[in-house]
C-alpha cells in the first residue's frame, strides 16, 4: 500500500471518528439537559421547601446542606439528595427507636401474635396490647412512607448526577441516637 493511500485512509478514519464523537457528545448533552429539566419540573411540582434556619432543630442545623438550602424550594438533584440524606434520614432515625421498615415488620408480627394470644385468653391487658400494636402499625407505615420518599428523591439525584460520581462512595446518612423516653 502506498503512503498516499494510507494517509487518505487514516485521515478519513479520523474524520469519521471525530464525527462519531461529536454525535455522541450531542446525544449525551441532549439527554443530560432532558434529565435536568425533567427532574427540575418534577421536583418543582412537589413544592417541597427546606425549613428556614429559625425553624430547624439543633440536629438539623448541624447538617451543612440543610443550612445552605434553608428556605429554598427543592428544584435540583443536589437538593433532593440533601433533603433525603440529611432531613428525612435524620427524622427516620429518630422514629420508632431508629428501626427500619423491615425491622418494624418483625416487631409487628410478634405483637400481632401477642394480640391473638391475649384475645384467646381474655387477657385484661388486651386493650393495651392492641393500642401498642396499632401504634406500631402507624409507625411502620410512617417509616415506609419516609423511606419511599427518600428513595424517590435519591433516584432524582442519581438521574442528574454525572455517572462518574455515581460510582463514588456515597456520604452516609447521619447517625442519630434516638432519645429513650421512659414512661
Amino acid at each position: 500500500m502506498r503512503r498516499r493511500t494510507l494517509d487518505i485512509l487514516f485521515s478519513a478514519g479520523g474524520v469519521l471518528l471525530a464525527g462519531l464523537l461529536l454525535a455522541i457528545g450531542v446525544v449525551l448533552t441532549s439527554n443530560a439537559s432532558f434529565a435536568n429539566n425533567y427532574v427540575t419540573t418534577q421536583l418543582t411540582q412537589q413544592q417541597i421547601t427546606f425549613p428556614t434556619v429559625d425553624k430547624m432543630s439543633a440536629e438539623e442545623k448541624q447538617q451543612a446542606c440543610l443550612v445552605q438550602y434553608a428556605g429554598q424550594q427543592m428544584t435540583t438533584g443536589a437538593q433532593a439528595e440533601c433533603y433525603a440524606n440529611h432531613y428525612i434520614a435524620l427524622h427516620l432515625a429518630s422514629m420508632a427507636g431508629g428501626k427500619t421498615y423491615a425491622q418494624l415488620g418483625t416487631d409487628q408480627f410478634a405483637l400481632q401474635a401477642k394480640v391473638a394470644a391475649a384475645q384467646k385468653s381474655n387477657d385484661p391487658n388486651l386493650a393495651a396490647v392492641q393500642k401498642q400494636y396499632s401504634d406500631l402499625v402507624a409507625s411502620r407505615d410512617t417509616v415506609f412512607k419516609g423511606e419511599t420518599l427518600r428513595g424517590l428523591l435519591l433516584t432524582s439525584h442519581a438521574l442528574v448526577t454525572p455517572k462518574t460520581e455515581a460510582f463514588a462512595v456515597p456520604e452516609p446518612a447521619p447517625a442519630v441516637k434516638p432519645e429513650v423516653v421512659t414512661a
Side-chain angles (χ1 to χ4, degrees), residues 1 3-5 33 42 50 61 84 99 108 110 123 127 130 134 143 157 168-169:
M1 188 176 286
R3 169 79 184 186
R4 180 171 161 71
T5 306
S33 177
Q42 295 302 309
F50 285 85
K61 288 178 184 176
K99 292 185 177 182
Q108 180 180 344
D123 187 334
Q130 286 176 324
S134 65
V143 168
H157 169 66
V169 178

Side-chain angles (χ1 to χ4, degrees), residues 18-147:
L20 178 65
L21 291 175
L22 180 64
I24 289 171
V26 167
V27 168
L28 290 177
T29 301
S30 173
N31 287 346
S33 177
F34 168 78
N36 280 327
N37 291 337
Y38 185 77
V39 166
T40 297
T41 300
Q42 295 302 309
L43 290 175
T44 301
Q45 288 176 1
Q46 295 303 312
Q47 298 183 7
I48 299 171
T49 303
F50 285 85
T52 56
V53 175
D54 62 318
K55 303 262 195 243
M56 289 184 191
S57 69
E59 290 173 320
E60 292 167 349
K61 288 178 184 176
Q62 292 175 358
Q63 308 300 317
C65 69
L66 291 180
V67 174
Q68 175 187 351
Y69 297 128
Q72 295 180 27
Q73 183 176 5
M74 183 189 314
T75 58
T76 69
Q79 289 174 321
E81 179 193 30
C82 172
Y83 197 84
N85 282 340
H86 300 281
Y87 188 77
I88 294 173
L90 181 75
H91 290 273
L92 286 174
S94 64
M95 292 183 66
K99 292 185 177 182
T100 65
Y101 174 77
Q103 292 169 325
L104 289 172
T106 303
D107 295 349
Q108 180 180 344
F109 294 126
L111 264 178
Q112 193 173 21
K114 276 186 180 181
V115 168
Q119 287 172 334
K120 199 175 210 180
S121 68
N122 290 324
D123 187 334
N125 293 326
L126 176 60
V129 175
Q130 286 176 324
K131 168 99 170 82
Q132 190 178 12
Y133 175 75
S134 65
D135 289 348
L136 179 64
V137 169
S139 290
R140 187 172 187 228
D141 186 51
T142 301
V143 168
F144 174 76
K145 289 174 185 173
E147 287 179 354

